[in-house]
Amino acid sequence: RLLAVVIAIAIFSCNYDDELGYIHILKSQSNLVSAIKCYVGYGQRGLQFSKGISWARTCPLTKYCFEVVTSDINKMKKLIDYPWDSYYYEYYIRSCGGDFGTPLDYHPYKGQPDVYRTPKYVQINITTPKVITGYGGTEMMSLNYICRKPDLCNAASNRYPSILFLSILTTVGLSTFFLIWS
């Protein structure tokens, strides 16, 4: 009976999140949920090459990662000190929610028509602090993507822990059922 109670608690502490497409375990207890990891940095893309600075960062205060893009090199030259090159056709900034003046919890598509889910349709302000060299300010840029997956926006890596948990839970549940009824 104790095992049945433990299984029932485990089942009721899980909930399915339609937006992310996987199960959160003990979602209400934030100290047990890991922080989101994002690729952060900036750079430029061309037809054959891309060049930039990027690294992985844990973002404990937010629930999303984002990338904004622009084709205007002058916007990037104003915001960030970097050797921008006009050879490239697209310039980007990637970061965690809450960085560059963005809100910590942001739902640009919530309650909007499907056209809003098209890359580069939604515009947001990106802000960098003014520094003594003259760089910094606020520019409107296109939202290329927003991601809420916890492991560097990699959907496949998020499914396996849930599948493993469900298979263990199913095995324990079935074995308990057969023990009780046999």
Side-chain angles (χ1 to χ4, degrees):
R1 288 184 182 182
L2 179 62
L3 186 56
V5 170
V6 169
I7 291 171
I9 290 171
I11 290 171
F12 290 116
S13 66
C14 298
N15 65 335
Y16 186 79
D17 189 336
D18 288 328
E19 182 179 345
L20 295 177
Y22 64 93
I23 293 179
H24 288 282
I25 302 168
L26 298 172
K27 183 179 179 182
S28 62
Q29 302 198 14
S30 60
N31 59 343
L32 297 178
V33 178
S34 62
I36 192 168
K37 290 183 182 176
C38 300
Y39 285 116
V40 298
Y42 46 86
Q44 44 204 351
R45 294 185 186 107
L47 293 175
Q48 292 184 338
F49 303 104
S50 64
K51 185 170 123 179
I53 298 172
S54 184
W55 63 96
R57 188 174 107 199
T58 300
C59 309
L61 300 176
T62 190
K63 298 177 183 177
Y64 72 99
C65 308
F66 70 89
E67 180 181 274
V68 291
V69 295
T70 184
S71 59
D72 187 354
I73 191 172
N74 292 321
K75 287 184 178 181
M76 296 304 281
K77 285 181 177 181
K78 176 183 171 187
L79 295 176
I80 299 172
D81 181 14
Y82 183 75
W84 302 106
D85 187 346
S86 61
Y87 162 79
Y88 300 98
Y89 68 91
E90 186 175 70
Y91 309 93
Y92 65 88
I93 296 174
R94 292 184 193 138
S95 199
C96 306
D99 292 347
F100 296 101
T102 58
L104 282 174
D105 193 20
Y106 181 53
H107 299 279
Y109 316 125
K110 194 172 189 175
Q112 301 292 336
D114 286 341
V115 71
Y116 278 84
R117 294 186 183 273
T118 305
K120 303 176 188 169
Y121 188 83
V122 175
Q123 302 284 309
I124 62 173
N125 282 324
I126 298 298
T127 303
T128 58
K130 291 258 186 193
V131 292
I132 197 166
T133 57
Y135 295 99
T138 300
E139 291 291 339
M140 183 72 71
M141 298 178 79
S142 301
L143 185 63
N144 196 28
Y145 72 77
I146 188 167
C147 171
R148 298 183 186 282
K149 307 238 181 316
D151 188 19
L152 300 172
C153 296
N154 185 353
S157 69
N158 295 330
R159 291 189 189 125
Y160 297 118
S162 298
I163 292 170
L164 177 64
F165 173 75
L166 288 176
S167 63
I168 291 170
L169 188 64
T170 303
T171 304
V172 170
L174 287 174
S175 62
T176 304
F177 174 78
F178 289 124
L179 282 174
I180 291 172
W181 294 102
S182 59

